[in-house]
């Protein structure tokens, strides 16, 4: 039997607190296995980068590429955090210095060509002649890729082409899938030719793997809490897979690495240095509060309305995680208080629908509601903050809402500016159902603050 060892990570989201252990694990294991004559592969399944961390933001993903290089990764696919939180130019340059393959079968430029740094699949030949085909797919957020200047296609259609190409030319097919557990299970049923599906995106944890049809599914959760290991045994004569199994290593329980804390701190400090550009010099502090009047949140809401040229705007004060102190403000300071990959967005609503949404924002459940996902990097929602919206008699039977100093007209159509997270979750059904939304990419909310503070400083 020939033994293949496959190590895999996914959805690190720039949580580098376990990276020194992961690095040591995969580099030491590669040496051990190769000394035994076994084949070793190391893959990342996307969302390795998340711009909440100064190194990821300051280097626009190139710091993540460097870490993947140093750990000896063979191939990666990328997720939505690489794909739609970077500008076209930043994504196009992120992998310039890579020493690994980037596999993304469903990514193209607008003209239909593949970027030079990406390919649909790669084939590897082991020492004993076993042919391994590896395919990569990323989640199909086509509308957002389109706004950024890219084109992504249906991953299942691209997968079909890749499998047909590799069938007969490979002995083993592995899929790197940043699509989520449900798609992975569907693919396993549709394509029994795929031996192993290494997944991500939905942050699922498969401790011993999961067999669906003929495929073994593996996934390692999120934030580098686990490193995955798949072992495949292949008959050297027939080149047929005789066994495959999966396991996860819990990085919380792993032995600390020498100088671990210093290494993690160095990643952070390097990013902080990259984000040292001065944005403004504030004559007065701008406080931020979650549950009372918040001058900084009010400034951001005002800026959001202006940026989107909207009739009115609202956002939640919990988006801002801290104050801006008097004096020099840098890019790093703005990342610290507003780390979310959340974009400005507008939605057109009738006055009647807008009134329904605004009344819902007054529900007492919101301020202390804890949120996870949707790009939110804070803890609680906080109070809602408004611009161009006034309430009077809100606790009376006859409530009045004014938009731009005029009574709200139920039949008029209004443009409401909001953080894009309110269009994804089912916070407000009227917003979720609206087909008239406009997303502003690649700017994040903190980019709006950068521009506004620079303007106020002059």
């Amino acid at each position: 039997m020939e033994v293949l060892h496959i190590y895999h990570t996914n959805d690190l989201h720039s949580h580098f607190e376990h990276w020194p252990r992961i690095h040591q694990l995969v580099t030491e294991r590669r040496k051990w296995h190769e000394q035994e004559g076994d084949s070793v592969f190391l893959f990342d399944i996307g969302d390795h980068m998340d711009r909440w961390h100064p190194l990821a933001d300051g280097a626009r993903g190139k710091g993540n590429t460097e870490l993947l290089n140093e750990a000896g990764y063979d191939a990666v696919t990328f997720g939505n955090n690489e794909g739609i939180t970077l500008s076209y130019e930043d994504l196009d340059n992120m992998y310039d210095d890579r020493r690994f393959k980037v596999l993304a079968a469903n990514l193209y430029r607008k003209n239909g060509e593949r970027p030079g740094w990406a390919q649909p699949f790669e084939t590897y030949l082991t020492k004993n002649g076993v042919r391994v085909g590896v395919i990569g797919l990323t989640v199909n957020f086509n509308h957002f890729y389109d706004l950024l200047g890219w084109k992504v296609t249906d991953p299942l259609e691209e997968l079909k082409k890749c499998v047909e190409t590799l069938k007969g030319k490979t002995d083993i097919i592995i899929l790197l899938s940043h699509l989520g557990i449900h798609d992975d299970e569907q693919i396993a049923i549709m394509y029994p030719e795929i031996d192993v599906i290494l997944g991500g995106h939905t942050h699922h944890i498969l401790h011993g793997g999961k067999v669906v049809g003929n495929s073994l599914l593996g996934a390692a959760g999120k934030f580098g809490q686990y490193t995955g290991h798949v072992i495949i045994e292949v008959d050297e004569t027939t080149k047929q897979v005789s066994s495959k199994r999966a396991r996860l290593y819990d990085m919380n329980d792993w032995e600390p690495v020498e100088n671990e804390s210093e290494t993690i701190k160095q990643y952070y400090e390097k990013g902080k240095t990259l984000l040292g550009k001065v944005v403004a010099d504030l004559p007065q502090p701008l406080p931020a509060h979650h549950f009372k009047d918040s001058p900084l949140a009010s400034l951001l809401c005002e800026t959001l309305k202006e940026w989107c040229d909207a009739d009115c705007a609202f956002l939640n004060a919990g988006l801002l995680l801290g104050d801006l102190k008097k004096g020099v403000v840098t890019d790093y300071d703005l990342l610290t208080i507003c780390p979310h990959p959340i974009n400005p967005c507008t939605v057109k609503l009738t006055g009647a629908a807008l009134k329904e949404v605004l009344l819902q924002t007054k529900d007492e459940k919101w301020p202390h509601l804890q949120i996870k996902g949707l790009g939110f990097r804070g803890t609680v929602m906080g109070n809602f903050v408004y611009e161009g919206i006034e309430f009077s008699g809100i606790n009376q039977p006859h409530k009045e809402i004014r938009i731009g100093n005029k009574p709200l007209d139920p039949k008029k159509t209004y443009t409401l500016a909001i953080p894009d997270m309110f269009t994804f979750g089912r916070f407000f059904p009227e917003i979720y159902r609206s087909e008239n939304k406009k997303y502003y990419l690649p700017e994040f909310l903190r980019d709006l603050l950068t521009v506004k503070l620079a303007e106020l400083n002059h």
Side-chain angles (χ1 to χ4, degrees):
M1 293 294 170
E2 180 171 12
V3 182
L4 279 63
H5 295 273
I6 302 162
Y7 290 88
H8 59 100
T9 52
N10 61 273
D11 296 279
L12 196 83
H13 285 274
S14 295
H15 280 260
F16 299 132
E17 52 266 32
H18 295 315
W19 187 254
R21 300 182 190 189
I22 294 172
H23 176 103
Q24 185 180 70
L25 168 66
V26 298
T27 52
E28 284 189 352
R29 289 294 184 91
R30 184 184 288 275
K31 288 178 188 172
W32 296 355
H33 297 318
E34 288 178 346
Q35 285 171 2
E36 292 294 317
D38 297 340
S39 296
V40 186
F41 298 98
L42 177 55
F43 303 125
D44 185 78
I45 323 299
D47 276 1
H48 189 277
M49 187 209 74
D50 188 317
R51 287 178 56 187
W52 75 271
H53 191 285
L55 180 60
D57 193 49
R60 292 299 191 269
K62 289 192 170 192
N64 296 73
T65 295
E66 187 178 335
L67 294 177
L68 291 163
N69 280 340
E70 290 169 355
Y73 276 72
D74 295 290
V76 308
T77 193
F78 60 84
N80 41 293
N81 271 274
E82 289 91 356
I84 62 174
T85 71
L86 292 170
S87 69
Y88 180 94
E89 293 76 15
D90 287 337
L91 177 57
D92 208 23
N93 297 326
M94 176 178 168
Y95 296 110
D96 282 352
D97 299 323
R98 73 195 181 283
R99 296 198 296 270
F100 48 82
K101 303 294 183 182
V102 179
L103 307 181
N106 58 324
L107 178 79
Y108 297 87
R109 300 192 192 278
K110 280 286 186 74
N111 63 7
E113 295 177 0
R114 294 187 190 277
W117 45 267
Q119 60 194 71
F121 57 81
E122 178 65 300
T123 53
Y124 299 90
L125 194 64
T126 70
K127 295 170 187 173
N128 294 320
V130 174
R131 303 165 299 173
V132 182
V134 185
I135 305 165
L137 294 172
T138 196
V139 65
N140 186 15
F141 289 165
N142 59 333
H143 179 61
F144 298 100
Y145 278 99
D146 183 64
L147 291 172
L148 287 164
W150 296 102
K151 177 184 176 186
V152 288
T153 54
D154 185 328
L156 295 182
E157 289 180 9
E158 296 291 349
L159 179 62
K160 183 179 180 183
K161 295 179 206 170
C162 293
V163 171
E164 286 175 355
T165 302
L166 292 173
K167 214 164 32 173
K169 298 177 183 174
T170 54
D171 304 301
I172 295 171
I173 297 179
I174 298 168
L175 172 63
L176 313 184
S177 164
H178 195 85
L179 301 179
I181 181 66
H182 301 300
D183 280 20
D184 292 351
E185 290 174 343
Q186 180 186 353
I187 287 167
I189 299 299
M190 291 172 65
Y191 295 100
E193 304 94 334
I194 299 176
D195 297 279
V196 176
I197 300 173
L198 302 177
H201 185 52
T202 43
H203 300 175
H204 49 291
I205 300 169
L206 301 176
H207 284 285
K210 180 178 183 179
V211 176
V212 179
N214 186 53
S215 301
L216 174 64
L217 277 57
K222 64 177 180 178
F223 299 168
Q225 293 168 351
Y226 298 95
T227 301
H229 182 194
V230 173
I231 302 167
I232 304 177
E233 291 184 324
V234 185
D235 187 297
E236 288 184 13
T237 306
T238 64
K239 302 294 191 285
Q240 296 290 309
V241 173
S242 60
S243 74
K244 49 191 174 184
R245 59 190 187 275
R247 65 173 299 183
L248 295 179
Y249 302 110
D250 190 335
M251 293 293 99
N252 291 296
D253 296 338
W254 214 252
E255 194 70 26
V257 174
E258 188 179 354
N259 299 322
E260 183 176 89
S261 299
E262 292 84 348
T263 301
I264 295 163
K265 186 178 179 183
Q266 283 169 11
Y267 298 150
Y268 197 89
E269 292 300 321
K270 183 177 179 181
K272 189 174 177 181
T273 301
L274 290 170
L275 294 171
K277 179 185 170 188
V278 175
V279 171
D281 192 344
L282 297 182
Q284 299 294 335
L286 279 169
H289 304 289
H290 289 172
F291 307 118
K292 60 181 181 178
D293 286 349
S294 176
L296 186 54
S298 296
L299 179 66
L300 178 56
C301 194
E302 174 192 326
T303 308
L304 176 64
K305 176 180 174 292
E306 291 173 1
W307 184 275
C308 298
D309 193 23
D311 298 308
C312 53
F314 70 71
L315 53 79
N316 55 307
L319 282 167
L320 293 168
L321 310 188
D323 309 326
L324 287 179
K325 295 179 174 57
K326 177 182 175 180
V328 169
V329 175
T330 65
D331 285 331
Y332 169 75
D333 295 321
L334 292 178
L335 173 68
T336 303
I337 65 160
C338 194
H340 328 279
I342 291 176
N343 307 103
C345 174
T346 58
V347 56
K348 290 189 182 295
L349 297 171
T350 64
L354 177 60
K355 179 179 180 181
E356 188 64 31
V357 169
L358 293 175
L359 292 178
Q360 288 169 29
T361 66
K362 291 295 183 180
D363 193 309
E364 293 178 357
K365 71 180 180 182
W366 292 119
H368 294 278
L369 181 71
Q370 296 191 342
I371 315 175
K372 291 186 178 179
L374 305 174
F376 189 69
R377 302 287 182 260
T379 52
V380 296
M381 180 78 85
N383 290 346
F384 277 96
V385 178
Y386 307 92
E387 183 66 27
I389 300 167
E390 294 175 18
F391 298 88
S392 61
I394 196 67
N395 295 318
Q396 307 303 319
H398 302 289
K399 307 175 181 72
E400 186 186 33
I401 299 175
R402 299 176 71 84
I403 305 296
N405 295 321
K406 294 180 182 178
L408 182 148
D409 181 345
K411 295 181 180 177
K412 182 179 174 181
T413 298
Y414 293 93
T415 301
L416 170 68
I418 50 175
D420 68 10
M421 62 183 267
F422 292 130
T423 70
F424 304 137
R426 304 198 179 211
F427 297 105
F428 306 106
E430 290 81 5
I431 292 176
Y432 184 78
R433 287 195 298 260
S434 172
E435 294 181 1
N436 205 332
K437 304 183 188 88
K438 181 179 179 182
Y439 297 91
Y440 293 77
L441 278 72
E443 296 86 9
F444 293 157
L445 293 180
R446 64 176 173 270
D447 295 321
L448 274 60
L449 270 180
T450 301
V451 173
K452 187 62 161 182
L453 291 173
E455 284 175 2
L456 292 175
N457 224 214
H458 287 87

